[in-house]
């Protein structure tokens, strides 16, 4: 037991998956910065504002559909562990099929979704026109974007993190090059920036399909896999994960909209803290992806002890990253805030939130990591129940308890919410292990 716990090979496996995924995560916001720079240099601020609103609408929809990636990773990893080539093909094609069906539904309801987004944005006519133009182009990337969630998830389950990194790098280069050419050289403006992103999504699709087929030992598919009876277990798993994502999104939306009610400064502070939270996610998600893939493989092998070893090894790296984040935020918070904003009043106000910045990674990394473990075990109900319990019994009561502290109270409630998710998932994991039925 001790020798396995200190197994250098398992640490290497975790790092070989985590490092490329962290780099892959970093490339996405860099790509967004190029698009922002292009739009920000157009004649009016409404170009950037409108595109940002349209991007937010689409991003939130795709984020809610993140269950496609999660379930694909878990099922793919378990099939790898079980050395079941039929299941490997089935989870790939069923996940891809589900993404395409959801994309068709999204295209069908795109205009009502757009109208709701415009109503919520309450934007001026010029900004609304940009929102409509950008959204109506980007939405045609949905078949590729939702398919990519399932395909990338499948590749992560196969522990092909380097391949995922190169897919992302290639797509980002295409996106940046096309954005500059279409928007600036051909002067297609907002339409050009949106079209570049759509084309990049289809580049990801082509590369993902190619690599997935290459990684399948015996590529095959059967028509019966797409019957309602065969798809029902996958739909059930996806539905639980969807509700998990929805509850999380509702809590974040409550924080943002309640913060707006406390004034412009509070809203700006929350935007800054969320930038710190994004930085945390870039690293911790990489370790979580490694946990997903390796735990799924051990679950496929029916190796409970192996799942425990993956969990213990992974927790070491998750804790190390969390400590490094806390140390950096504690020592260099003023410098990081100074990069984000040059407004002196915001820089001064952020000093009251330094403790939040330090505690975010220390208290939040547990839920990031155990989410990964439970994705690998395909125990979506546990993730859903943990999110629901933490939201209803911790986040909202926590806000009521700290409401006199207004915006600071919101973030204290969020810290409690993150910690509660980690505790409930960790506690349930221990319960499963003691019952000797950790595997899915």
């Amino acid at each position: 037991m001790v020798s396995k716990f200190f197994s250098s090979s398992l640490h290497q496996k975790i790092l070989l998956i985590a490092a490329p995924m962290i780099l892959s995560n970093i490339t996405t916001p860099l790509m967004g910065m190029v698009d922002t720079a292009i739009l920000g240099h157009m004649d009016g601020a409404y170009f950037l504002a409108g595109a940002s609103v349209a991007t937010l609408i689409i991003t939130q929809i795709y984020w809610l559909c993140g269950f496609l990636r999660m379930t694909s990773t878990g099922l793919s990893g378990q099939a790898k562990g079980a050395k079941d080539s039929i299941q490997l093909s089935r989870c790939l094609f069923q996940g891809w099929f589900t993404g395409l069906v959801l994309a068709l539904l999204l295209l069908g309801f795109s205009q009502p979704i757009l109208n709701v987004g415009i109503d919520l944005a309450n934007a001026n006519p010029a900004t609304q026109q940009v929102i409509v133009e950008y959204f109506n182009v980007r939405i045609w990337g949905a078949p590729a974007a939702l398919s990519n969630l399932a395909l990338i998830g499948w590749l992560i389950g196969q522990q092909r993190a380097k391949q995922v990194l190169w897919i992302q790098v290639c797509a980002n280069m295409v996106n940046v090059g096309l954005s500059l050419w279409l928007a600036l050289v051909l002067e297609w403006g907002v339409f050009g920036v949106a079209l570049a992103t759509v084309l990049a999504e289809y580049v990801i699709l082509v590369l993902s399909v190619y690599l997935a087929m290459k990684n399948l030992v015996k590529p095959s598919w059967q028509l019966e896999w797409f019957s309602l009876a065969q798809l029902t277990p996958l739909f059930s798993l996806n539905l639980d994960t969807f509700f998990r994502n929805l509850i999380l999104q509702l809590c974040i939306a409550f924080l943002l909209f309640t913060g707006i009610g406390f004034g412009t400064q509070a809203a700006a502070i929350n935007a800054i803290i969320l930038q710190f939270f994004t930085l945390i996610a870039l690293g911790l998600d990489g370790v979580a992806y490694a946990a997903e893939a390796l735990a799924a493989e051990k679950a496929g092998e029916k190796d409970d002890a192996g799942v425990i070893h993956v969990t213990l090894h992974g927790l070491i790296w998750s804790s190390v990253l969390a400590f490094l984040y806390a140390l950096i935020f504690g020592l260099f918070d003023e410098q990081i805030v100074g990069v984000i904003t040059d407004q002196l009043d915001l820089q001064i106000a952020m000093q009251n939130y330094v403790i939040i910045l330090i505690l975010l990674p220390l208290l939040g990394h547990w839920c990031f990591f155990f989410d990964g473990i439970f994705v690998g075990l395909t125990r979506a109900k546990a993730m859903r129940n943990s999110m629901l319990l933490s939201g209803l019994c911790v986040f909202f009561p926590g806000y009521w308890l700290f409401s006199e502290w207004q915006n600071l109270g919101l973030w204290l409630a969020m810290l409690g919410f993150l910690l509660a998710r980690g505790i409930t998932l960790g506690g349930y994991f221990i319960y499963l292990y003691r019952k000797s039925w950790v595997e899915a």
Side-chain angles (χ1 to χ4, degrees):
M1 179 73 175
V2 175
S3 63
K4 284 191 175 182
F5 177 71
F6 291 105
S7 169
S8 60
S9 62
L10 188 49
H11 285 298
Q12 289 171 359
K13 283 185 178 180
I14 292 171
L15 293 177
L16 285 173
I17 298 173
M21 294 311 305
I22 292 171
L23 292 174
S24 177
N25 289 342
I26 291 172
T27 63
T28 301
L30 290 177
M31 176 183 67
M33 288 173 63
V34 174
D35 288 352
T36 299
I38 293 172
L39 293 165
H41 283 81
M42 291 183 180
D43 292 337
Y46 61 88
F47 285 107
L48 180 56
S52 297
V53 171
T55 299
L56 179 63
I57 297 170
I58 292 171
T59 300
Q60 293 305 304
I61 294 171
Y62 290 171
W63 192 90
L64 286 173
C65 293
F67 57 80
L68 290 167
R69 188 206 63 76
M70 294 180 176
T71 54
S72 289
T73 298
L75 294 172
S76 170
Q78 289 180 18
K80 174 181 172 63
K83 296 179 173 59
D84 187 340
S85 60
I86 299 297
Q87 175 60 17
L88 206 55
S89 293
R90 179 164 49 204
C91 68
L92 172 64
F93 287 110
Q94 284 185 335
W96 188 2
F97 174 77
T98 304
L100 288 174
V101 170
L102 287 175
L104 291 176
L105 289 173
L106 183 55
L107 288 171
F109 289 95
S110 60
Q111 292 311 303
I113 292 171
L114 175 60
N115 292 335
V116 171
I118 291 175
D119 290 341
L120 291 174
N122 195 26
N124 60 48
T127 302
Q128 284 188 22
Q129 184 177 351
V130 175
I131 294 172
V132 171
E133 182 180 8
Y134 189 91
F135 180 90
N136 284 336
V137 176
R138 278 290 309 273
I139 197 65
W140 288 103
L146 297 187
S147 295
N148 291 337
L149 289 173
L151 293 166
I152 293 296
W154 187 91
L155 288 170
I156 293 172
Q158 294 300 295
Q159 302 175 25
R160 302 299 183 182
K162 288 183 180 179
Q163 293 181 352
V164 173
L165 170 61
W166 285 115
I167 289 172
Q168 195 65 54
V169 169
C170 290
N172 288 343
M173 291 173 63
V174 168
N175 193 355
V176 170
L178 286 176
S179 291
L180 294 170
W181 182 53
L182 296 175
L184 300 181
V185 178
L186 298 184
E187 298 183 349
W188 287 3
V190 171
F191 176 84
V193 173
L195 180 59
T197 302
V198 170
L199 293 175
E201 288 169 337
Y202 280 98
V203 168
I204 295 176
L205 176 61
V206 171
L207 293 175
S208 298
V209 170
Y210 169 74
L211 290 172
M213 294 300 106
K214 188 176 179 181
N215 280 287
L216 278 175
V217 178
K218 297 178 180 178
S220 63
W221 66 279
Q222 300 173 20
L223 188 60
E224 63 184 31
W225 290 349
F226 308 103
S227 67
L228 183 59
Q230 293 259 356
L231 287 169
T232 296
L234 178 63
F235 288 163
S236 177
L237 184 62
N238 282 333
L239 189 61
D240 287 330
T241 312
F242 168 78
F243 280 118
R244 174 260 181 202
N245 292 349
L246 182 61
I247 296 165
L248 176 58
Q249 196 60 29
L250 288 174
C251 290
I252 294 175
F254 179 85
L255 183 147
L256 290 175
F257 284 109
T258 304
I260 291 172
F262 293 138
T264 303
Q265 186 181 80
I269 286 172
N270 291 346
I272 292 172
I273 297 176
L274 285 175
Q275 291 299 313
F276 280 83
F277 196 75
T278 299
L279 289 173
I280 294 169
L282 293 177
L284 295 181
D285 271 347
V287 178
Y289 289 152
E292 292 175 20
L294 295 172
E297 181 182 21
K298 295 302 179 183
E301 295 171 355
K302 306 299 182 184
D303 182 1
D304 283 3
V307 174
I308 298 299
H309 294 143
V310 168
T311 303
L312 294 176
H313 283 71
L315 270 176
I316 291 175
W317 291 106
S318 182
S319 301
V320 167
L321 268 179
F323 176 78
L324 288 176
Y325 273 124
L327 184 63
I328 292 170
F329 292 168
L331 294 176
F332 302 106
D333 62 289
E334 293 183 14
Q335 289 84 348
I336 299 174
V337 171
V339 171
I340 297 174
T341 178
D342 59 357
Q343 297 183 33
L344 185 60
D345 58 334
L346 281 178
Q347 293 176 359
I348 294 172
M350 276 299 300
Q351 292 304 304
N352 295 323
Y353 292 83
V354 173
I355 187 62
I356 302 295
L357 301 180
I358 294 172
L359 291 176
L360 268 176
L362 295 177
L363 301 184
H365 83 97
W366 301 95
C367 66
F368 276 88
F369 180 77
F370 276 108
D371 269 346
I373 293 294
F374 277 82
V375 166
L377 300 178
T378 57
R379 289 192 173 273
K381 283 187 173 63
M383 297 169 64
R384 179 203 64 193
N385 294 342
S386 169
M387 192 72 73
L388 184 61
L389 182 66
S390 300
L392 293 180
C393 299
V394 178
F395 178 69
F396 290 107
Y399 170 64
W400 176 80
L401 182 65
F402 299 118
S403 58
E404 63 182 53
W405 292 356
Q406 296 191 334
N407 197 58
L408 183 60
L410 270 174
W411 281 104
L412 291 174
M414 178 57 70
L415 288 175
F417 171 68
L418 295 174
L419 181 60
R421 284 175 53 207
I423 290 174
T424 51
L425 287 174
Y428 189 59
F429 179 83
I430 293 171
Y431 168 78
L432 290 178
Y433 176 64
R434 288 182 173 175
K435 291 290 185 181
S436 298
W437 45 287
V438 167
E439 74 273 2

